[in-house]
Structures are given as C-alpha cells and as structure tokens.
Amino acid sequence: MINRHKYLDPSLSAEERANDLLQHMSLEEKMGQIVCYMPDKETLDSFEKDYPHGAGEVSMLFVGELLSKEAVVEKVTYIQKKLMGLSKHRIPAIFHMETLAGAFAPEATSFPSGIGQASTWNPELQKELSKIIGKQARAIGATHAFAPVLDISRDSRFGRQGETYGEDPALASAMGTAYVSGLQQDGDLKKSVLACAKHFVGYHATQGGIHAASTAIPPRLLREVYAKPFQAAISISNMKSVMKTYSSIDGEAVAGSKRILTQLLRDEMGFQGLVVSDYTSIAEQHTRLMVSGSKTDAGERSLLAGMDVELPSKDCYNEELMQRIQDGKIEMEFLDRAVRNLLVAKFELGLFENPFPMSEKEVREAYSDPMNHRISLDAARQSMVLLKNNDILPLERKKQKIAVIGYHAISRRSLFGGYSFTSLFDALLNAGNTMAGVDFEQISDLSNQGINTKEENNIYPGSNVKIETKKTEELVRKHYPQCNNLLHQLKLECPTAELIYSIGYAYAGNDTSLHDEALAAAATADLVIFTLGGKHGWGMSCTTGEGIDSTDIGLPECQESFIRKLAQLNKPTVAIHFDGRPISSDMADQYAGAIIEAWNPGQFGAKAITDILFGDYNPSGKLPVSIAYNAGQIPVFYNHDNGSSYHVGTMNEFKSYLDCPREPRYYFGFGLSYTTFEYSNLRIEKEVYRPHEPLYISVDITNTGDLFGEEVVQLYIRDKYASMVRPALELAGFIRVPLKSKETKKVHFTMELSQLAFLDADMRWKIEAGEIEVLIGTSSNDLRVSSSFNISSNQYIDGKTRGFYAQAEVR
C-alpha cells in the first residue's frame, strides 16, 4: 500500500517527513505543537479544552505520585492516546523527564549527583551510566532527557552547584559529551532519547550566587569558557536539544534573545536541534524581568528569538499569539521553524511508528539488568574524594567499639541529591501532598531521635530550614528497598565491632542540645565516624538546591561546634560529608583524622563508603572544583587569568587577604589515595609544531606503594606569552590509570593544537605562534613533570571544529 503522504514513509529522512507534514498542518495544529502539557489530577480527563489540537511535549513530573514503573507506563500510554486523538494528523507527543542522577521515575537506577559524577573523572563510565538512564527512560515512554547540566560552576553559594561538572570547561566537555553519547545511544535515536543540555548559557555565574539573577559575562569569556561544553556536545556528540537559562545577559533576557538563541547557538555554534524554555522562563520576561508588557508579548519575543517549545504548560504561546500570526503581525516562518524542529525530533525518535512505552518484557529487562547496579556502585565508589587521611584509613575489621554520630548516618535520603527521584518526595510532602499506597504508620529511623519534634514551628533552630518529615525517609525506603543507610551498612560490613549511635545534631541550624549525648557515646569508643553536611534537593527542608542559595558555604554551627568539642576527647575520627556543595570547614581540617567527600552518591552510596573505609576499594576521586575557605573568596578557581586570584603577582607587601589565604582550601583536581604514584619520562614528540599538526605527549606513571590503586593522570597547559590575557593554567586532558603495586604504565595524550585556540582582539578563533608549557601531575597544584614546545605560526580556525580535550590511552 502506498502512503498518501510522505511524512508517513519511514524510509525518508526526518527532515523530509517534517517538511511534508508541515504543509498539511493548520495554524491551530502548529500552535498545539509548540506548547507543553503538564498533567495533574484536575486536568487529566479534561485537557481537551486547553489542548484541543494536542501538545508537542508532556511533562512527566507526575511520576512522583506513582509507585511503580508499570503505573508510569499505563499513564503515559493513556495520555499519549488522548493527545494523538486530538491531533488531526495523530502527531505523538514527546514526554520529557529529568535524568541528572537517573531516570526520574520509580524503580529507576540511581546514580551520584552531577558533581559526584564529575569527581570520577571517567568519561567511559559516564557513558555507560547514561546509557542505562536513557534505556530506562525510553522504556517507560520518556523521549526527552533533561541532562547533562553543562553549566560551569565557580560559586558554592549557588544552590545548584551539585548538579554540575564543576569549574573547568575541558572536564565538563569530556564528561558532557560522554553523557550525551550514552543517552542518545551514539545517534540511534529510535532506541534512545534526546539529550537536553542545561542551562544555555552562563546560568551559574549570576550576581550574588542567586538562582536566576542576571549574569555579567563578557562575550569572550562566554564563548571560551561557559559555552565550551555545549559546543563540545554539539560538535562531538550531535546533541539534539538545549534548555536555556532563566537569567539575563548584558541586559537581554536569554529567553527572548535572538543574539543568544539564534546568532550564538545556531549561527556561530552550528546547533540544529530543539530549543526549549526552562519552566515558566518565557513568562518571566513579563512577570520578573519586565521586558515584555504582557505574556503574549513575551511569547512573541521568544518565538522570534528562536525558542521552539514553551515549558511546562501553555501560557505565552497562547491564542492571542496565534491570532497575531493569523493577522500577519508575526510571519509564519517563525512558527514553522519551531514546529519543524520539533517534528524532526519526533521523526528521528521514531515516534510516529512507536509512540508508546516499550513492551512489558522490554521494560522489565531495562530495569532488571544486573549491570545497572554494578555501574551505580562503581560510579559511587569513584565519585568519592579522600581529602585528608592521618594514617587512619583504611580501617581494620576487628572487634572494637565504634561510635557513629550524625543525622546523615541514619538517613537514606542523604544519599540522594537534587534532581534525583527522591528529591521530588520533599517537594510533594512539604506541599502537603500525599502519595497513594504508602503506609506511614511504621516508625522511621529518624522518628525517635529527638530532632523531628524539636520545634513547634517546624523549623530547625537557628535556621530557615523546615524540619524534614518522617514520611520522606519512609518513601525512600519504599522506593529503594536495597538502599541501606550508613549505620546499617557498617553493621553488615563489620559484624565484630560494637556500634553505638547518637544523632548529635541536625543538618541545619545551631541546636547543640544533643551534643552531650553524642560526646558521651564517643568517649566510650575506640573510633568515631561522624557525618557532616546539609541536604540537597527541593523545597524548604533542604539547604542546597534550586533556589536554595546561601552566603555561608561552611558547615552549620551545630556541626562545626561539635567537631571542636569532639577533638577534646583525642579519639581517632573519620568525617564523611554529604551535600551538593563541597565541605569547607576549619574544624574538620584541623581536627578530623580523615575526611571523605561523599557528595550524594546514590542508592549504593553506603556500600561505596564502607568499601573505602575498610580498604575494599582504594579511593580515587578528584575534586572538580576548588574549595574556598569561605564565601568571601568566591569566585576562586584554578584556571583564572594570569595576574589574577592567587597568582595576582603585584608588588604589595600583603600576599594574601588580611584574614584568609588567597589560595583555595583544596585545589582543583586534588584527591588522596591509599597508595602513592610517581611520574617520569615526560616526552613531547617534537620541539616545534605547525598549527595543523596533532601534538603527541607521553608520560610514565608508577604505583610506588603497596596497594592497587587508580590514578587520574592530569595534563595541563600554559601559554607562556600570548596576545590576549590567558589562564594561568588550563586542564587539557586526563585519564584514569589502574596500577598494581610497583607497576608502571605509559600514558599517551593526543591533542589537536586547535584546542589552544582563543578569541583574539577581533573575536576570531586563533591558534597563536609561541611557546606552550606542558605540565602533568596529580592535581592542578601538584604537577610532577613539565616540558614545552613551540607553535611555528598563527592560524585562524572555525571555533565549531576546534579541539575541546585531549584524547588519552594507556599502552
């Protein structure tokens, strides 16, 4: 049978099919495609009124109210059938979901938060991780994945730092491209999802570290640093979707900026995919940024600028905007562009042939593969950074008394970060919602510890943070039955030890009333393991997360003062930190015997921690951010300009702040091991390179200790002298190297010299002649070997095709 329309012919390209379908669509049906439907209980059976011609996308936040993947499949199927029935051409909707730390759905595998993933410095593992996320999302009907977060983050006051890959554009580029390739199954979109990178562009560089505030980024820095991971994902992994930032840049709301969304993203950077708004950000041009006199004006501004789809619901892409198009006040080509981009995505995804979730068997296989849990555990182990160790770790499994102290030790929820599935529980429960089928009569681990009933006003003393409801912990236990809290895992791992627990303090505020009880427990112990940090997620019961910013990047007073008191007991101590921002603590630095930065490691986080504590896994994570002493240092990052920050180099007598070092508390790339490594035999193939030639570098790495370990070999470069002010140091490449005791391996780096290109005074991408230093080591502040080479001549290049990070292999 011959298809009547080309768009029904799957043998044609997505572009051909989209162009054909576009010709047959009415204005009303086109408008239906550029808006999103956000289901809730009230509208599920009556959305025909607001979406009479269907919808282009559907938000899947409703999964927080469901208890199983089967329930998600049933609801997605129902909504998809309804929307296709409303569309004259039976156009299926794209269903989108958050995928930062796993598919945002019940029973999906959970992984570390974004900053934890970055701490692995392992793009290969990152790709395997995102493959699992993509498969599980697609199986239940999601086809648009909101990740990776490619924002460069240099401000720990900003509550969403834990979602990012940290401060460095090369690290973010390598990890982000791997994540996109995994989600999109290397381009086989009919079996995968669209990767949607967030938040284009510069979102984490806001004034005051405040969510959605304006962003003061000059054009060169915007392109060289903040847009670099996005460009890498576009150029290398053919990333199919981008979500824009809430912020304004140089007086322009990005949601309505043709300069950003069309001239930069599409014309300069070559992006050809789908651009979607962050939730409500189009309307905020009217309600918050005050650049549009009405919501319809905001919609017109965004459509003309290059915004394809309004999320999460129809607000500004409304009937009045449709009338303006009907009347010729807005040219049809702008609407057609948006609809075409969306239709191309749908055809690439194969939605016209397979619009529904996968079969029951396929769903079961995607969720039950044993590899899912292995990769999650591997990621959790590799994400943890050993910041300090006074020969306390690894611990022995022996008969001893161990005091375990801290809220996080008995909280499963603490293992999960923002934009994990569990973070939705906080938002729903704090809003007073209930979840069907959950029995809250059973008493949770936290119910009798004295904290949850401390304040009649339901606020942790000395803070603005709401006391966490007991129901949160119960929900985590119900959805992740294999997830142990740290205390339980310690009992399993060291059955010969006597464990005594005391909560001691909360994750916020200044309440010290439970200190004495915890100190009494510690006084009787041979060893003290204590947990620190805040709570990363959504809502008023969290201390970091979206819209949860802070001027204090340190520990809460109830924790910092406890460490001072604990030190007086002279006990061996191990501190374990959980949060979306890194630990910054004078007391922990001074008094803790060992410090593990655990971030939010996911469902197998407790197992990963105990593996490190008892030496079953040798810690190998490295910091993706520089850690400041306090907020007054911010921003402090290693790849600052020459003549700036802690390399300012002026003639002043003071070489630091009056009250604080200029240097960071912990440097980018830092992380300890239970063994030691030696670097030698750095070799650069030639002394002089022409700008089009690849650079070849090799170095030997030796495990000089007695234990097996993995070292992250870090390659840095420095432009000795340049026509523009360049960074004092730049990460160029890296690789994880597993080494047995006394084993030596040779690492080979291959780098395109276009990776050294920068924007000259005329804003042209230039590979510049001159001397380049090469430095290799174990962190940005511990560079063991160095050499240099020269570039023979200048060359101008296309920035889209430049190098982004060096390739590395072990031979």
Side-chain angles (χ1 to χ4, degrees):
M1 179 178 175
I2 299 175
N3 289 325
R4 196 171 111 186
H5 297 298
K6 286 183 179 180
Y7 77 87
L8 295 173
D9 184 355
S11 69
L12 297 178
S13 70
E15 290 77 11
E16 289 176 295
R17 298 177 74 183
N19 287 332
D20 180 66
L21 177 53
L22 198 59
Q23 296 177 43
H24 303 291
M25 294 172 67
S26 66
L27 173 60
E28 292 79 8
E29 196 173 14
K30 290 177 183 178
M31 288 298 297
Q33 286 300 297
I34 63 171
V35 296
C36 178
Y37 167 53
M38 189 173 183
D40 58 39
K41 294 175 182 176
E42 286 70 35
T43 67
L44 191 56
D45 293 315
S46 60
F47 58 73
E48 294 93 337
K49 178 182 176 183
D50 293 323
Y51 299 87
H53 300 280
E57 293 224 9
V58 176
S59 168
M60 290 186 69
L61 282 179
F62 62 80
V63 300
E65 299 178 358
L66 303 177
L67 296 177
S68 69
K69 58 186 183 296
E70 290 79 14
V72 176
V73 167
E74 180 180 357
K75 193 163 185 176
V76 168
T77 302
Y78 172 79
I79 295 171
Q80 184 72 287
K81 286 181 177 178
K82 293 273 284 186
L83 288 172
M84 289 175 66
L86 293 171
S87 168
K88 177 182 177 181
H89 294 93
R90 294 190 59 78
I91 302 175
I94 288 175
F95 285 70
H96 68 245
M97 72 162 37
E98 301 291 345
T99 57
L100 174 69
F104 204 70
E107 301 183 60
T109 307
S110 169
F111 299 96
S113 57
I115 201 166
Q117 294 171 31
S119 298
T120 70
W121 292 58
N122 190 340
E124 291 78 16
L125 180 63
Q126 187 74 351
K127 185 172 181 178
E128 293 303 311
L129 174 158
S130 63
K131 280 183 179 179
I132 294 169
I133 295 172
K135 286 178 182 178
Q136 292 186 343
R138 182 68 189 245
I140 59 174
T143 48
H144 198 180
F146 287 176
V149 175
L150 296 182
D151 298 311
I152 298 302
S153 178
R154 294 170 167 178
D155 192 339
S156 292
R157 297 172 302 174
F158 198 95
R160 302 184 73 174
Q161 185 172 49
E163 300 173 34
T164 74
Y165 292 127
E167 72 186 40
D168 182 78
L171 177 62
S173 294
M175 299 297 284
T177 55
Y179 194 98
V180 169
S181 294
L183 275 183
Q184 296 185 169
Q185 298 289 326
D186 293 315
D188 188 2
L189 293 181
K190 288 182 171 57
K191 296 182 180 178
S192 60
V193 296
L194 304 178
C196 181
K198 304 190 295 187
H199 305 80
F200 193 79
V201 60
Y203 171 56
H204 278 248
T206 61
Q207 293 178 357
I210 298 172
H211 159 70
S214 63
T215 302
I217 306 177
R220 183 174 287 102
L221 185 64
L222 188 75
R223 289 160 172 79
E224 289 186 352
V225 173
Y226 290 93
K228 179 176 177 177
F230 292 90
Q231 182 71 79
I234 293 165
S235 298
I236 296 173
S237 300
N238 193 21
M239 182 172 64
K240 292 294 185 177
S241 181
V242 164
M243 176 183 286
K244 39 66 63 195
T245 174
Y246 282 106
S247 307
S248 63
I249 298 176
D250 192 25
E252 284 190 280
V254 175
S257 171
K258 182 178 180 181
R259 182 173 61 89
I260 298 294
L261 298 183
T262 296
Q263 293 172 0
L264 174 59
L265 179 60
R266 294 194 185 276
D267 298 343
E268 277 190 47
M269 299 175 65
F271 179 70
Q272 297 179 350
L274 186 67
V275 177
V276 299
S277 72
D278 208 338
Y279 279 21
T280 74
S281 62
I282 296 179
E284 288 186 8
Q285 294 175 98
H286 168 64
T287 62
R288 190 173 67 86
L289 300 180
M290 316 304 285
V291 294
S292 297
S294 68
K295 288 186 177 181
T296 305
D297 289 344
E300 178 176 340
R301 181 188 289 261
S302 291
L303 185 64
L304 297 181
M307 183 76 71
D308 295 325
V309 183
E310 180 180 19
L311 307 181
S313 56
K314 181 166 63 176
D315 193 12
C316 302
Y317 284 4
N318 53 31
E319 282 71 20
E320 185 180 356
L321 184 67
M322 181 173 67
Q323 190 62 49
R324 292 183 186 183
I325 298 172
Q326 180 78 61
D327 295 341
K329 296 177 181 178
I330 301 172
E331 294 183 22
M332 183 66 74
E333 66 179 89
F334 293 102
L335 176 60
D336 284 351
R337 179 222 69 230
V339 176
R340 184 183 292 109
N341 288 336
L342 184 64
L343 291 177
V344 167
K346 292 182 178 184
F347 284 120
E348 287 181 329
L349 289 164
L351 288 182
F352 279 76
E353 290 71 49
N354 296 292
F356 303 113
M358 294 181 180
S359 67
E360 182 179 347
K361 178 176 180 292
E362 290 172 310
V363 173
R364 184 170 62 251
E365 289 175 349
Y367 280 72
S368 62
D369 188 340
M371 184 69 70
N372 300 346
H373 288 179
R374 186 182 72 78
I375 295 296
S376 178
L377 178 58
D378 282 351
R381 286 167 169 161
Q382 293 184 28
S383 73
M384 295 184 186
V385 185
L386 181 62
L387 294 177
K388 181 181 179 182
N389 186 19
N390 292 341
D391 295 324
I392 289 178
L393 298 178
L395 304 175
E396 293 183 59
R397 286 184 171 92
K398 64 181 182 180
K399 188 175 182 179
Q400 59 181 323
K401 182 181 279 190
I402 302 175
V404 182
I405 297 168
Y407 161 89
H408 304 81
I410 56 166
S411 168
R412 292 170 179 82
R413 170 62 183 84
S414 296
L415 301 172
F416 301 86
Y419 278 87
S420 65
F421 184 55
T422 65
S423 65
L424 190 56
F425 304 163
D426 298 304
L428 290 172
L429 291 170
N430 286 327
N433 293 17
T434 58
M435 297 188 179
V438 181
D439 179 10
F440 292 127
E441 295 303 315
Q442 185 176 354
I443 302 299
S444 80
D445 292 341
L446 301 176
S447 64
N448 60 355
Q449 300 301 331
I451 281 184
N452 284 340
T453 58
K454 193 74 186 156
E455 285 279 294
E456 290 184 4
N457 63 4
N458 206 33
I459 299 292
Y460 286 113
S463 80
N464 295 317
V465 180
K466 288 183 66 174
I467 294 172
E468 182 185 55
T469 171
K470 293 176 289 189
K471 297 178 182 180
T472 300
E473 192 69 15
E474 189 61 33
L475 276 174
V476 177
R477 186 191 315 195
K478 185 173 185 69
H479 280 278
Y480 295 95
Q482 294 176 309
C483 174
N484 294 324
N485 64 36
L486 180 57
L487 180 62
H488 186 195
Q489 194 68 42
L490 284 166
K491 291 176 180 178
L492 294 176
E493 297 290 340
C494 194
T496 58
E498 178 187 353
L499 296 178
I500 50 175
Y501 174 76
S502 179
I503 196 164
Y505 39 79
Y507 59 84
N510 60 9
D511 183 10
T512 63
S513 62
L514 298 177
H515 280 190
D516 288 346
E517 178 183 322
L519 292 168
T524 67
D526 302 304
L527 168 73
V528 180
I529 297 174
F530 63 104
T531 63
L532 301 169
K535 183 182 177 186
H536 182 202
W538 273 328
M540 295 292 291
S541 69
C542 295
T543 60
T544 58
E546 183 168 357
I548 310 172
D549 311 312
S550 178
T551 61
D552 187 350
I553 64 168
L555 298 175
E557 176 56 28
C558 61
Q559 296 179 16
E560 192 80 350
S561 61
F562 179 82
I563 302 172
R564 186 185 297 108
K565 296 173 185 177
L566 179 64
Q568 297 175 11
L569 299 178
N570 293 315
K571 299 285 184 177
T573 58
V574 178
I576 303 169
H577 183 256
F578 301 85
D579 214 332
R581 63 167 60 97
I583 183 172
S584 182
S585 166
D586 293 341
M587 292 298 100
D589 281 355
Q590 186 173 351
Y591 296 121
I595 303 173
I596 295 174
E597 179 58 79
W599 310 109
N600 299 109
Q603 68 188 96
F604 297 106
K607 171 63 175 169
I609 291 168
T610 55
D611 284 349
I612 289 173
L613 288 175
F614 293 106
D616 299 324
Y617 181 81
N618 192 343
S620 56
K622 300 286 187 175
L623 287 175
V625 291
S626 304
I627 301 180
Y629 280 93
N630 56 61
Q633 276 187 294
I634 290 172
V636 58
F637 50 94
Y638 89 95
N639 49 349
H640 49 260
D641 286 348
N642 282 317
S644 296
S645 192
Y646 49 94
H647 290 107
V648 66
T650 60
M651 299 300 292
N652 299 64
E653 293 183 10
F654 285 106
K655 303 303 179 184
S656 65
Y657 291 107
L658 281 175
D659 54 354
C660 178
R662 287 180 182 148
E663 291 75 16
R665 186 186 292 273
Y666 292 102
Y667 289 87
F668 174 84
F670 175 76
L672 299 173
S673 170
Y674 295 154
T675 189
T676 54
F677 301 98
E678 181 180 278
Y679 290 74
S680 60
N681 299 325
L682 170 62
R683 182 174 178 269
I684 301 175
E685 188 179 57
K686 298 196 302 183
E687 292 184 4
V688 180
Y689 284 83
R690 289 178 291 179
H692 65 274
E693 293 182 305
L695 172 68
Y696 296 105
I697 301 168
S698 64
V699 67
D700 291 345
I701 176 75
T702 302
N703 181 347
T704 54
D706 298 325
L707 299 173
F708 171 86
E710 288 183 273
E711 170 71 326
V712 177
V713 178
Q714 301 169 38
L715 167 67
Y716 293 86
I717 58 98
R718 179 185 292 130
D719 199 331
K720 193 71 177 293
Y721 292 98
S723 58
M724 305 297 293
V725 177
R726 302 300 299 144
L729 193 68
E730 290 183 88
L731 180 70
F734 57 91
I735 188 172
R736 271 183 168 263
V737 183
L739 290 162
K740 293 181 282 190
S741 174
K742 314 307 179 187
E743 183 180 18
T744 298
K745 291 183 178 178
K746 187 176 290 292
V747 174
H748 295 262
F749 290 100
T750 303
M751 188 173 82
E752 299 297 325
L753 293 184
S754 62
Q755 189 178 329
L756 304 177
F758 56 84
L759 288 164
D760 70 1
D762 297 317
M763 294 298 287
R764 296 182 297 172
W765 287 102
K766 179 183 181 183
I767 305 172
E768 189 169 81
E771 183 180 359
I772 305 295
E773 293 183 86
V774 174
L775 310 98
I776 299 179
T778 188
S779 80
S780 62
N781 192 55
D782 189 2
L783 299 167
R784 308 287 181 83
V785 291
S786 63
S787 186
S788 66
F789 67 94
N790 279 275
I791 300 174
S792 62
S793 59
N794 298 332
Q795 182 174 316
Y796 290 96
I797 63 165
D798 180 353
K800 295 190 296 292
T801 62
R802 72 189 191 274
F804 300 99
Y805 49 88
Q807 300 300 312
E809 60 179 335
V810 178
R811 300 177 194 163

XYZ file of all heavy atoms in Angstrom, residues 16 101 335 481 493:
38
model
N 12.760 15.411 5.580
C 11.774 15.310 4.500
C 10.378 15.071 5.055
O 9.393 15.674 4.593
C 12.155 14.165 3.560
C 13.372 14.418 2.687
C 13.737 13.207 1.849
O 14.122 12.168 2.443
O 13.632 13.290 0.614
N 20.509 12.223 37.685
C 21.086 11.177 38.524
C 20.347 9.849 38.343
O 20.347 9.001 39.222
C 21.051 11.597 39.990
N 6.931 30.487 13.254
C 6.196 29.350 13.796
C 6.604 28.068 13.085
O 6.824 27.027 13.727
C 4.690 29.580 13.656
C 3.782 28.417 14.092
C 3.991 28.079 15.562
C 2.316 28.760 13.814
N 14.388 -0.326 48.301
C 14.495 -1.297 49.405
C 15.899 -1.864 49.577
O 16.245 -2.333 50.671
C 13.490 -2.384 49.006
C 13.314 -2.243 47.534
C 13.466 -0.783 47.248
N 29.083 -4.677 57.348
C 30.468 -4.794 56.900
C 31.430 -5.151 58.029
O 32.496 -5.716 57.775
C 30.921 -3.463 56.261
C 30.147 -3.072 55.024
C 30.441 -3.968 53.832
O 31.487 -4.642 53.832
O 29.609 -3.994 52.908
